[in-house]
Amino acid sequence: MNRRVTGDGERLAVNTTMHRRDLLRFLSLSAVAGAAGRAYPADAFAWPDQAPSSSFIPDVELALTAAPGEANILSGAPTRVWRFTGQLIKGPADTLRVLPGSYLGPVIQLRRGQKVRVRFQNRLAEQSIVHWHGLDVPEAADGHPRLAVGAGRDYVYEFEVTNRAGTYWYHPHPHMRTGAQVYQGLAGLLIVSDAEEDALRLPDGEAEHLCVLQDRLFDDRNQLVFRGDNMMEMMNGFLGDRVMVSGRPQPTIDVDAGWQRIRLLNGSNARIYKLTWSRDVKMTLIGGDGGLFERPVRQAVLTLAPGQRADLLIDLTGVPAGTDIHFDSQAYPEADAGIVGMMGMGMGRGMGMGGMAGTGGVRNGAPMRIMTLRPRARQGIAFAVPDRLSAFDETWAIRGNATTRQVPIVFARMEWLLGGRTFEMGQVAPEETVAAGSTHVWEFMNLANGMGMQAAHPIHMHGRQFRVVQRSGGTTNALRTGLADQGWRDVVLVLPGETVRVQATFSRHPGLYLYHCHILEHEDMGMMRNFRIS
């Protein structure tokens, strides 16, 4: 049974539909909450007091704890972080994997068809909740912020893994604090495998690299800097000045001279990467958010937005030992990602007032080193990329008769709007209600406001993967080169001026789910809406 809690001295009621004065109030309250380590402002939440279901027999059972900690990231003093730690209660011994030198949560390795129980323990001084990003799970397991778990409390997730083999992830999803909690270190990879992927015999072991890309900013005492009280940073998204790869700053990795598999997650709060390898090394994309593509795609540049994943292969066969192969984010015009100025009046970094943000972060579009691979003299195992990777979903086709819904995206009233609305905890509009198993086409229309202001937005839908059907509109944009819309997605980057059509067949699980911008500061400001599967 769920117990509703309304005010206990740690919460302040706010209206999550924010206008100018409300936004200022929200930002000031967020600063106080962050500084004091107390719960964020929120409406009434459900704090579930529940026991595991007696009818659910898990193949895998884990304990996952969120708590403060320390990590040795830079030379000198340790950095205070928040981190997930895990304990395997039941299941295969390789279910949990800790990445060496990483403060991020353990990699959770699951098989399609497994039944999973996760006992989440919140040992933070504020509310939190875990979202299993990309997985098709029941409503109670999806991590909706209305189910935020109070400080010192626990929650039980139970679900069956029905997704295809692929790279997924988990992270907090409390309203108004998602950006801060992820930035502090609460994130981890979740890898699903299945027989179809096993048959490909892709590079593994030391030739498989799990790379969570996150830009971070540190002060002179090695502590993470996050200014959730800065209006411009909330409107544009928080940016760091260096890239961490799975918790390590710009690492150099020794590898065999052969094929390498690189699994990428853009786990940054707001940075959009335009990724490329040095020395004309081409990448072969074999998968995205929702697993393997039907066929490999070869390209030189990859655009990766917050929340998106990519699975790629590179061939270092014959590269001389000791030759550094750099993985970089190329330069592109900052305006291609979009920026809103001071008080929404175009008076920000785009008009020479970059210092107003006050964070020291490097702008979106600045060239950045990600990591370096350094081949050894030892040759890797021989491998050939198959012409066909996956049977995919041969029943999928563009539905000409699917219900179509238009979702305008615009900046107005000092807030980012989806369909003219911002987030309210339980609100669902009539057009946001869909039938389980039904197929819809949603058109995300990225519109300029009256002053021409707009930004690129990575739109994420919970509960189901979708297909990108069409892009139209927009102007010349450097990020367009490198977009990978193939396969199943759960995040799509909608560039300024574009309309992007996606087709989704909604989950069989009924209940309340979310769609939102995955620039985490936009999400926290209210660029998020419910949809209900009935």
Side-chain angles (χ1 to χ4, degrees):
M1 177 175 295
N2 290 350
R3 187 158 55 90
R4 300 294 293 181
V5 179
T6 59
D8 62 356
E10 286 200 338
R11 279 168 301 289
L12 297 173
V14 300
N15 185 337
T16 55
T17 301
M18 293 179 291
H19 300 290
R20 188 184 304 259
R21 66 178 183 276
D22 302 308
L23 178 61
L24 289 167
R25 177 171 170 264
F26 154 68
L27 291 171
S28 64
L29 288 170
S30 296
V32 171
R38 297 173 68 81
Y40 54 87
D43 292 317
F45 283 87
W47 277 352
D49 294 327
Q50 64 173 33
S53 170
S54 59
S55 62
F56 186 89
I57 309 300
D59 305 300
V60 173
E61 186 167 1
L62 310 171
L64 186 70
T65 302
E70 287 188 339
N72 294 313
I73 301 172
L74 305 178
S75 176
T79 302
R80 293 187 297 275
V81 297
W82 293 352
R83 66 196 321 168
F84 287 119
T85 56
Q87 178 184 359
L88 180 63
I89 299 171
K90 175 185 178 182
D94 63 353
T95 299
L96 291 181
R97 173 182 170 191
V98 177
L99 296 176
S102 178
Y103 60 86
L104 298 181
V107 180
I108 301 175
Q109 302 184 139
L110 301 174
R111 295 280 297 181
R112 188 175 187 177
Q114 283 180 329
K115 292 185 176 181
V116 179
R117 174 181 291 149
V118 180
R119 298 174 180 266
F120 174 56
Q121 301 170 328
N122 181 14
R123 300 302 177 256
L124 304 172
E126 64 183 57
Q127 298 167 344
S128 193
I129 191 74
V130 182
H131 170 50
W132 309 97
H133 184 122
L135 296 191
D136 183 2
V137 296
E139 175 190 34
D142 188 57
H144 194 287
R146 78 188 190 286
L147 299 178
V149 181
R153 292 179 177 262
D154 302 344
Y155 189 88
V156 177
Y157 299 92
E158 294 177 339
F159 56 87
E160 180 178 349
V161 180
T162 60
N163 288 68
R164 305 166 70 243
T167 306
Y168 306 92
W169 65 304
Y170 60 97
H171 62 80
H173 217 299
H175 187 36
M176 297 185 183
R177 288 289 287 169
T178 296
Q181 291 191 8
V182 172
Y183 190 88
Q184 202 69 22
L186 291 176
L189 286 170
L190 190 153
I191 306 296
V192 175
S193 59
D194 62 17
E196 181 180 54
E197 184 187 65
D198 293 345
L200 297 176
R201 301 181 66 84
L202 297 168
D204 59 6
E206 290 187 353
E208 181 182 33
H209 309 277
L210 307 182
C211 302
V212 181
L213 310 186
Q214 296 176 309
D215 59 325
R216 294 292 182 262
L217 186 66
F218 295 83
D219 66 18
D220 57 6
R221 295 168 295 178
N222 287 352
Q223 301 310 307
L224 289 165
V225 176
F226 181 82
R227 302 187 197 278
D229 59 341
N230 187 290
M231 182 183 296
M232 284 185 61
E233 292 302 327
M234 296 300 288
M235 290 190 295
N236 290 301
F238 194 90
L239 301 171
D241 65 351
R242 70 179 76 198
V243 179
M244 315 291 290
V245 180
S246 298
R248 300 166 59 196
Q250 300 165 332
T252 296
I253 303 170
D254 291 331
V255 299
D256 290 344
W259 283 91
Q260 308 292 319
R261 182 181 187 182
I262 316 290
R263 293 183 187 254
L264 296 172
L265 158 66
N266 184 349
S268 300
N269 282 37
R271 187 171 299 279
I272 301 172
Y273 299 95
K274 188 175 180 182
L275 301 167
T276 188
W277 295 90
S278 67
R279 304 184 71 87
D280 295 323
V281 172
K282 301 297 189 296
M283 51 189 134
T284 301
L285 268 65
I286 60 172
D289 297 347
L292 294 170
F293 295 162
E294 186 175 15
R295 299 184 185 279
V297 178
R298 292 172 176 85
Q299 57 192 68
V301 178
L302 171 66
T303 296
L304 202 67
Q308 289 187 319
R309 285 88 69 207
D311 195 347
L312 58 94
L313 303 170
I314 59 171
D315 183 10
L316 302 183
T317 303
V319 175
T323 302
D324 284 352
I325 306 298
H326 300 306
F327 193 38
D328 295 324
S329 185
Q330 287 185 344
Y332 62 84
E334 183 180 23
D336 287 0
I339 183 167
V340 173
M342 181 64 179
M343 302 303 291
M345 300 302 291
M347 296 168 56
R349 293 194 296 270
M351 296 187 69
M353 300 176 69
M356 293 179 66
T359 66
V362 174
R363 64 176 177 80
N364 241 329
M368 302 185 79
R369 175 64 39 85
I370 306 297
M371 65 179 179
T372 300
L373 299 185
R374 183 172 294 161
R376 299 177 283 232
R378 188 172 67 193
Q379 293 296 309
I381 298 172
F383 174 76
V385 181
D387 291 333
R388 186 179 176 91
L389 298 165
S390 171
F392 208 58
D393 184 350
E394 296 176 348
T395 64
W396 184 88
I398 296 175
R399 299 283 184 88
N401 61 345
T403 299
T404 299
R405 178 193 170 210
Q406 294 183 333
V407 186
I409 300 170
V410 69
F411 185 78
R413 306 194 309 267
M414 292 301 297
E415 51 200 344
W416 292 107
L417 306 178
L418 283 173
R421 305 180 180 95
T422 54
F423 183 63
E424 295 188 37
M425 193 63 72
Q427 185 189 73
V428 183
E431 64 269 27
E432 294 171 323
T433 299
V434 300
S438 65
T439 299
H440 288 224
V441 171
W442 284 13
E443 295 182 351
F444 295 103
M445 307 161 61
N446 196 344
L447 307 176
N449 67 5
M451 299 186 67
M453 293 183 296
Q454 56 191 151
H457 295 283
I459 302 298
H460 172 47
M461 292 177 66
H462 287 215
R464 198 63 167 175
Q465 303 283 324
F466 55 77
R467 295 297 310 276
V468 178
V469 175
Q470 182 186 45
R471 290 181 180 270
S472 60
T475 57
T476 302
N477 190 308
L479 291 172
R480 189 169 284 116
T481 302
L483 287 173
D485 288 336
Q486 299 89 344
W488 292 104
R489 316 299 311 190
D490 54 58
V491 179
V492 62
L493 181 61
V494 186
L495 297 172
E498 277 192 334
T499 293
V500 178
R501 293 166 53 89
V502 305
Q503 179 176 299
T505 299
F506 289 96
S507 173
R508 70 187 188 281
H509 298 298
L512 206 62
Y513 293 86
L514 297 165
Y515 64 104
H516 58 83
C517 179
H518 220 283
I519 293 175
L520 298 183
E521 288 70 44
H522 290 182
E523 171 187 334
D524 282 340
M525 282 180 65
M527 193 179 178
M528 178 166 67
R529 291 291 302 170
N530 292 311
F531 68 92
R532 184 180 299 283
I533 300 177
S534 63

